[in-house]
Every structure is written in structure tokens, then in C-alpha cells.
Amino acid sequence: MSMYDVIKRYDSVSDELIQAFAKTSESASVNECLPRNGALTHDFRPVWPGTRAVGRAFTVEARPGDNLILQKALTMLKPLDFVIVTCDGFQEAGGMWGGIMSNAAQVQGAVGLVMDGCVRDTMMMQRIGFPVWSRGISVKRSTKKTPGLINHPIMIGGVRVNPGDLVVADNDAVVVVPWQLAGEVLKKVEEREKSEAETLRHVREDGSYLFARYGFDKAYAALGLTEEP
């Protein structure tokens, strides 16, 4: 653990791996290829549907209802940063990130935001195309009085996130890949999605294909269920 509250240097997934993951199809594929779950809890939802972002985790630990440390974070962002904020999960403590902050992050090259509290100005976020995932929406005001941490390990949505980890988020989920594993996980994702594309082709041609293809017929038979002729 660093002696500093605000950390500027840390190991990170490469730009090349971020760009490669951006070409993959689904957050589910990424999570399926991890050795353990990397998906945040289901209540982290995109504030506008159909959105997607891939980047490196820029972690922030704030106090509920106070966004001073988030304002500081906005002075430090780099291209492909994905801002990941924990504020102890309090949703009624104020909308800690809004439209102007989204604009400020976007012009610096940040790819998105994940917040375990609330955000506001969601229509502006959609208008400028800045992807945001949060656990709620609130227009309550925020204070600027309490300390926080930048680029320390955090726990959010049941997942440990280190600064520099890969983050893949879409309409379904937010998934975190430890930066050290990103290369090997990418290979597995690409193989999985190639296989699923072939499966999909068969499904479109013959919907009954899946049941026998994956041995579901044997699993079903083993249950000994009675079936009307």
C-alpha cells in the first residue's frame, strides 16, 4: 500500500490489449473466460441503453455525497481511462457525477464511468455519448469537504479492482479483468466467440441442434422424467 492518498504511477493493461478487447462482442464472453467471477453485481446499470466501453481502471474512493476527490480525479485522466468510483454504495447521498464532469472526462479521452452511488444529468451523458454505469440516479447536491483516495485497490460490486485493470462494460454488465491476466483471457474470449458464432449459425439453420449438440438430451434422459407421447 502506498503512503500517498493520490497515486499517479501503477502497472496497467496495455493500450493494444484494450483495443483488442474492444473488438470482442460481449461482456458475458469475457466473464466466462475468467478463472473467477469478474462481473459486478447486477444493479450496476447503464444510464442509457445500448452503451459499451472498454478501458483501464482509474479507481477512486470517495465519501458518500462528496465529490471533491472526483473533481481532483478529473485533473488526472488520460486516454482510455475508465473511471471506477466507490462511495460506500450510498445511493441517497447525492448525484456525485453529472453532465459537465462527463464532458470534462470525455475531452481528456476517458472512455466511461462506473459509480456505486448515483449520477445525474443522464440525458446529457447520452447526448455526448459518454458511457456511464451506476446503481442509481439522483439530483441531490454534493459537498466538497471530505478526503478520498485515487488509484488504490477498491472493492465495488463484489469485485476487487486495481488501478490499471481492464474493464469491459456493455448493456449487460461491467466486468473487470486483472491486468496481469488480460492477454491470456483475450485468447480464450476470441476462441469462445468464434465457437459461439458457429453455434449461432447452426441454431439459425436448425433450432433443435443445441439439445443434442451439447448433450442436453442425455442430461434430460438421466432425470427420468415422464413425457406425454
Side-chain angles (χ1 to χ4, degrees), residues 37-45 57-62 70 82-90 113-119 133-135 152-163 165-167 174-177:
N37 175 63
L40 273 57
T41 49
H42 73 279
D43 50 345
F44 285 81
R45 303 306 306 150
F58 181 103
T59 62
V60 183
E61 184 174 331
L70 290 174
F82 203 140
V83 186
I84 313 293
V85 182
T86 178
C87 55
D88 297 336
F90 284 90
L113 167 81
V114 175
M115 166 83 73
D116 76 351
C118 287
V119 298
W133 289 258
S134 73
R135 293 179 59 244
H152 286 248
I154 62 173
M155 285 295 297
I156 181 170
V159 175
R160 178 183 170 91
V161 184
N162 289 294
D165 282 350
L166 178 83
V167 184
V174 177
V175 177
V176 178
V177 179

Side-chain angles (χ1 to χ4, degrees), residues 185-202:
V185 171
L186 176 64
K187 293 176 184 175
K188 293 177 181 178
V189 173
E190 290 173 339
E191 291 170 4
R192 178 185 174 85
E193 292 194 340
K194 183 178 179 181
S195 173
E196 291 208 331
E198 180 66 11
T199 298
L200 180 60
R201 185 179 69 81
H202 282 281

Side-chain angles (χ1 to χ4, degrees), residues 91-130:
Q91 293 171 271
E92 295 302 330
M96 295 172 60
W97 183 286
I100 293 177
M101 296 173 76
S102 295
N103 277 272
Q106 187 180 58
V107 298
Q108 293 176 80
V111 298
L113 167 81
V114 175
M115 166 83 73
D116 76 351
C118 287
V119 298
R120 65 186 190 186
D121 306 331
T122 58
M123 297 308 293
M124 180 182 288
M125 292 166 181
Q126 181 174 15
R127 193 159 60 245
I128 67 171
F130 186 71

Side-chain angles (χ1 to χ4, degrees), residues 1-8 58-73 76 84-88 96 143-154:
M1 179 70 72
S2 172
M3 70 178 71
Y4 299 106
D5 297 314
V6 175
I7 297 173
K8 298 181 179 180
F58 181 103
T59 62
V60 183
E61 184 174 331
R63 299 304 302 153
D66 192 293
N67 70 358
L68 180 61
I69 198 69
L70 290 174
Q71 303 290 344
K72 172 61 179 178
M76 297 172 58
I84 313 293
V85 182
T86 178
C87 55
D88 297 336
M96 295 172 60
T143 58
K144 293 169 179 61
K145 297 180 179 180
T146 63
L149 301 173
I150 291 178
N151 288 323
H152 286 248
I154 62 173

Side-chain angles (χ1 to χ4, degrees), residues 202-211:
H202 282 281
V203 169
R204 297 300 302 180
E205 293 174 359
D206 179 8
S208 65
Y209 163 83
L210 279 176
F211 205 61

Side-chain angles (χ1 to χ4, degrees), residues 13-42:
V13 64
S14 68
D15 288 6
E16 290 75 21
L17 279 171
I18 292 172
Q19 290 157 1
F21 270 93
K23 297 175 183 175
T24 62
S25 298
E26 296 180 327
S27 61
S29 297
V30 177
N31 198 55
E32 291 282 354
C33 293
L34 286 169
R36 59 182 179 275
N37 175 63
L40 273 57
T41 49
H42 73 279

